[in-house]
Every structure is written in structure tokens, then in C-alpha cells.
Amino acid sequence: MTLNADTTAWQALQGRAAACERELNLDHALHDAGRFERLSLQAPHVLLDCSKCLWDEAALAALLQLAEKAGLAQRRDALYAGAVVNETEQRPALHVRLRTPLVPQGSSAVEDECHAGLRAMLALAQQIRAEARFTDVVHIGIGGSGLGPELMLQALQPWYTGGLRVHVVSNLDGHDLHQALQCLVPARTLFIVASKSWSTPETQRNMTSAKAWLCAGGDLHWPDHFVAVSSREDVARQSGFTQTLHIPEGIGGRFSVWSAVGLPVAVAVGPQVFERLLQGAAEMDAHFAAAPLERNAPVWLGLLDVWYASFLQMPGRCVAPYHHGLRRLPAYLQQLEMESNGKQVRADGEPVGCLTTGMVWGEPGSNGQHAFFQWLHQGTQRIPVEFIAARRAEHGLPEHQEALLANALAQAQALMQGARAGEGQLSGHQDFPGNRPSTFMLLDALTPESLGALLALHEHRVFVAGTVWGINSFDQWGVELGKTLAKDLRARMDSAELEGLDASTAGLLSFCLQGSSVSVS
């Protein structure tokens, strides 16, 4: 069912939102010890605390009714069944399928393309590790093909084995590739090129430059040093690649790190650790599929996103991971959420009629405390903060983890309760308004299993919010116009043709070409 502001369920939530804005004081509400028990839940590998969120049980109940009317359970079942849920491109979304157990070796069961591609990737990773031919692996990919591997490589650094150094290059800016190649030896370097379409301009440019660097380094047969990861293996092979891995068409870029795109991760940590990552994600998949909606972590978070954006009209969410291994999580979630649900039309092409996903941004704690937390506590705009922390650390340094956890808990507490300037303090300047909401996700430790569960949790929250908004969370048409215009402008750089451009673009392009500003009529 398509929902809009005219439906009874939507209007009821608007009323509830106005009541929470007027009446809900989080500091007072949390004097009720039962609020934590009622508004927190244990999901696989993640304790989710929503008791400091600016909602109450009545709001959650109304949001659950909204999800029911939107057909969330039925659409979730369609996702898991491999039905077409990406309507504009007429594709299923198969990332959950990648996390189901692989068919045992020697079994007579027929593998689907998801598992066949995954098994081939794990086998190649093992081969690369065993041969010890390379000292460095450079992974070239952008968007989900870059952010996913980069995040996982950082998060799983304690599980690195084998001595291979893995680098990720994504930016079209040549400084990225140039810096990655410094001190590398061509004969000892392997490149992984990940591009689902095999036409991503940034990835193609970096690949071409990487080939040139390799060939300039000696008498080397470049195909021995390159692996292509794509749904267009045929095109990659036509261009000379002999080592290729397959991405199924139903795997979107921002959901692809579980597929052959995860090769650099499997090379770094080994296939067994990568399978533990998949296992953790599968546990969260099972929770999303089986837990009642009223005690379902992805459902809560997706509905909370709808609540904050569409009803409380908050402009975004700050993600503050209190773990160094998750330092790229804000950027990863930025793509996952803003590319999936940053849309103004529903799946049927009609206007969505309400505010959808806002900005997703952040930095690791405690760095953020010395940057933008001033704004979070005392700024004139209010947005929710999402804290992610782990009880245990992988290092043995004394006092670091205790202080880190104390800071994370204290920031959430301070945002919630606020404070008035005391005697001898500066009135106004040292007042903290409080009643600023936050969510807290607590892991026991950052492990392959908990990382997999955490990322799957966020994938499913995006799906939940998109379903309620009636959005297709699996396409990204908004990125196309800029690509088209970039091709035109690149051609104009060679011809110096400014005719037909707006004055601003013409002026900037002229300056780029000539090194000085020009008057454009």
C-alpha cells in the first residue's frame, strides 16, 4: 500500500510527533527504569538502545501500524525470496542470498550464481595467499566497490594474516593512485579492478594508469597482475583480462562487499575469516526475517529514520563510532542510506510527499568531541546521534578502552539530560538545552561476526524505511546527470568550445583551460 500525508495512519503519527515535541522530556522519562528495558533490545551481536530517542511507546506502536499498512512483512519476504524488488531496473536484490550457507564441497546440489561467484572468489583469495608471489594488492573501485572493502579492511585489521599489504584506490584524482603506488614493486603487485558495469569512468581511468605503471616497470605480462570483478566478465575478457570474477546483476554496488567485490578482504584475512563475516550477517538476516516486528532491530531503526525525517523533520543523523576500526563507517553509511533513500519520488514515479532520508555524516569518537560536538550540544539545529561502541578492545593498552567507553556513554547522557549553568559559570554560554536524542549500539567486541551483523542491520534498516516511504531503495538514477555532463565537458576541454554553456560553467571551464578568468557574455 502507498502511504501519504492524507492517510489516517500518517495523520495519527503527525499528532503523536507534535505531542512528543511538546511533552517528552528524555531526562524525566529516563527516571523510569523500565524505559530502557522497553525501548532496547538484543539483536545478534548488537545491543540496541533506543531509550534516548525522541519517541515513546505510543509513537513506536503507531509506526509499527504504518509499517504493517505499507506491507513491510510481505515486501521483506519478497526480498528474501529473490523476487523483483528493484522495480525500475526489474531486478531482485540478492545480497541476502550471498550470506546463506554455501553448498558443501562434493554436494550434488546445484549452486546458484551468487554462491558460485562467492566460492570462486574465496578460492582465488586462498590461491593468492598460498602462492606468496605478491607483496602488495591494490584494489581499484569506487562507491560500494571501494567503500565496502575499505571499511572491512580497516575493521578486520587484527585478523590480517599472510603478510600481504592491501591498498584501496577509488578517487579519480590521480593523487590517490600515485600515492598508493609509491614504494611498490611492479613485479610484486597485484591489481583487483571492481566495476559491476565495467564502464565506471573513475575505475577505468585508474585501471588504465595502473596498467601503464606496471608495464613501465619491466618486461611483465600485465594480465598476470590483474583480476577483474564485474557482471560483464565478457567485456573484461575482450580487453585482455584472463582472471575474472562474477558479480550477479541482482547485487547492487552498495550491497556488493559480500560478493566477489570482497576479494581484497578475503586476501587480507583469509577465506575462513571472510566466511565468519558472512555468518554474522546471516544471523542478522535471520533476526530480520523471524523476529516479531515489534522486537526487530532493523524495523525499529528504519521506523526511527522515518519518524525523525518525516514527522520530526530533522535534517539528518550524525554517526559517531567509538572504535578506530569503524572510522570509515560514516562514509559507508552515507552512501548506503543517501544513495538508497535520498529520493523525491516513490517507486511508481509519483512524488513521495514528505521528507525522506537526510544527511548522514560523522567522524569517529573521541575525535568528533573536539570538532562538531559543540554544535550537537548547543547548536540551533537538533539532529539525532548514533553511537556505536564495543565493550572489549583487541589491543592490550591500559585505560584506553575504559576511557573511550566512558566518553561515549557520557556524550549520549549529556545530549539527553543537558545542564544549567551553575554558580560562578557563564549563564547561557554554559547552559546545555538537553533533550537531544541518540541511539546507542553496543557490540561485545568488533569481530568478523559482529561486523557482518552490524552492516546487515544497517542494510535492512534502509530497506524498512524505503518500504514505508514507498521508495525503490535499490536504484540510483540521481547519479546519472552529472556523469552525462562530465562527458560533455571533458570533450569541450579538448575543443575549447564554450558555446551553449551557462555563464558560470563557461567561466570556470575557461579558467581551467587558460589559467585566467575570462568575460563570458
Side-chain angles (χ1 to χ4, degrees):
M1 175 182 176
T2 300
L3 300 171
N4 56 51
D6 295 328
T7 64
T8 302
W10 199 273
Q11 291 173 348
L13 274 162
Q14 288 175 322
R16 191 68 230 144
C20 285
E21 288 273 31
R22 286 193 313 270
E23 303 162 9
L24 181 57
N25 181 291
L26 291 173
D27 188 29
H28 295 166
L30 281 161
H31 283 92
D32 171 11
R35 180 176 168 91
F36 175 78
E37 295 298 327
R38 296 189 300 272
L39 291 176
S40 66
L41 61 85
Q42 181 69 57
H45 303 284
V46 183
L47 172 63
L48 174 63
D49 175 22
C50 294
S51 63
K52 293 191 188 74
C53 296
L54 200 64
W55 64 356
D56 55 18
E57 290 162 273
L60 175 57
L63 286 163
L64 287 165
Q65 290 181 351
L66 193 68
E68 182 179 353
K69 290 181 181 298
L72 174 60
Q74 294 80 4
R75 188 163 168 82
R76 175 199 60 197
D77 294 346
L79 170 73
Y80 279 52
V84 171
V85 291
N86 178 351
E87 295 88 355
T88 59
E89 297 175 307
Q90 281 298 293
R91 293 174 183 164
L94 299 173
H95 50 284
V96 174
R97 176 64 181 158
L98 287 164
R99 277 124 43 170
T100 58
L102 288 167
V103 175
Q105 291 279 12
S107 169
S108 60
V110 177
E111 285 190 318
D112 63 19
E113 65 169 338
C114 289
H115 281 175
L118 179 59
R119 188 184 296 280
M121 181 274 280
L122 295 174
L124 181 57
Q126 185 59 42
Q127 177 187 327
I128 293 168
R129 289 165 58 85
E131 286 179 347
R133 178 183 169 190
F134 302 107
T135 57
D136 292 88
V137 175
V138 179
H139 176 82
I140 298 174
I142 198 168
S145 297
L147 285 167
E150 186 177 21
L151 168 61
M152 286 190 176
L153 286 165
Q154 292 177 354
L156 298 178
Q157 191 275 335
W159 283 267
Y160 276 28
T161 55
L164 276 164
R165 296 183 292 264
V166 183
H167 317 265
V168 177
V169 171
S170 58
N171 203 328
L172 179 60
D173 184 342
H175 294 96
D176 192 3
L177 180 63
H178 176 74
Q179 291 176 16
L181 296 179
Q182 288 178 350
C183 302
L184 301 193
V185 178
R188 302 279 280 162
T189 302
L190 175 71
F191 291 91
I192 300 168
V193 183
S195 172
K196 182 181 173 184
S197 65
W198 205 248
S199 61
T200 310
E202 299 90 342
T203 301
Q204 291 292 313
R205 181 65 260 168
N206 278 323
M207 177 187 70
T208 300
S209 295
K211 279 187 193 177
W213 173 85
L214 185 88
C215 293
D219 186 19
L220 299 172
H221 185 53
W222 75 259
D224 294 341
H225 293 258
F226 278 80
V227 178
V229 182
S230 179
S231 63
R232 299 300 310 277
E233 288 178 278
D234 55 333
V235 180
R237 288 188 174 276
Q238 288 168 14
S239 63
F241 279 78
T242 57
Q243 303 178 90
T244 62
L245 293 171
H246 183 63
I247 307 173
E249 282 288 351
I251 304 295
R254 54 193 176 274
F255 303 92
S256 67
V257 74
W258 319 98
S259 72
V261 171
L263 177 61
V265 182
V267 165
V269 301
Q272 292 78 19
V273 173
F274 194 89
E275 290 190 61
R276 289 172 57 190
L277 180 80
L278 295 171
Q279 177 189 338
E283 291 177 58
M284 187 60 72
D285 294 338
H287 168 77
F288 181 44
L293 298 187
E294 60 269 17
R295 297 295 294 176
N296 192 305
V299 173
W300 277 22
L301 289 172
L303 293 178
L304 192 61
D305 293 339
V306 173
W307 174 248
Y308 281 145
S310 300
F311 296 101
L312 297 186
Q313 299 189 340
M314 292 187 178
R317 182 175 92 256
C318 174
V319 178
Y322 276 70
H323 196 297
H324 186 65
L326 297 176
R327 59 192 178 276
R328 287 294 279 168
L329 182 64
Y332 177 85
L333 296 181
Q334 193 173 67
Q335 188 211 11
L336 176 65
E337 299 188 32
M338 296 176 74
E339 194 167 76
S340 295
N341 289 341
K343 294 162 185 171
Q344 60 186 355
V345 297
R346 302 190 304 251
D348 61 6
E350 293 298 315
V352 72
C354 64
L355 295 179
T356 58
T357 289
M359 298 173 290
V360 179
W361 59 278
E363 276 288 318
S366 57
N367 296 4
Q369 293 175 205
H370 295 265
F372 52 78
F373 270 54
Q374 160 67 42
W375 180 82
L376 293 174
H377 285 287
Q378 291 184 318
T380 55
Q381 297 182 73
R382 177 181 58 178
I383 68 165
V385 182
E386 189 165 279
F387 293 92
I388 303 112
R391 289 197 311 122
R392 294 186 292 108
E394 294 301 320
H395 62 77
L397 300 174
E399 275 303 307
H400 283 263
Q401 187 65 10
E402 295 83 355
L404 186 70
L405 282 172
N407 272 273
L409 294 169
Q411 291 298 326
Q413 182 184 18
L415 285 165
M416 174 269 297
Q417 69 181 30
R420 302 291 294 176
E423 185 176 349
Q425 293 183 310
L426 295 171
S427 177
H429 297 284
Q430 291 180 277
D431 286 331
F432 294 80
N435 216 39
R436 303 203 165 193
S438 67
T439 309
F440 211 106
M441 299 180 192
L442 187 61
L443 316 177
D444 185 54
L446 184 59
T447 64
E449 292 85 355
S450 65
L451 177 64
L454 180 67
L455 298 187
L457 170 64
H458 284 282
E459 288 179 349
H460 293 317
R461 86 184 286 173
V462 166
F463 177 77
V464 170
T467 296
V468 173
W469 282 319
I471 283 172
N472 177 5
S473 300
F474 300 110
D475 63 10
Q476 55 281 329
W477 298 105
V479 305
E480 297 300 325
L481 178 58
K483 292 181 183 179
T484 302
L485 295 177
K487 289 180 182 178
D488 172 64
L489 291 175
R490 178 62 190 90
R492 289 172 181 271
M493 286 180 173
D494 292 333
S495 66
E497 176 58 62
L498 304 182
E499 184 70 28
L501 291 176
D502 64 271
S504 174
T505 305
L508 291 169
L509 181 58
S510 179
F511 188 88
C512 289
L513 295 175
Q514 301 176 18
S516 62
S517 60
V518 295
S519 176
V520 179
S521 59

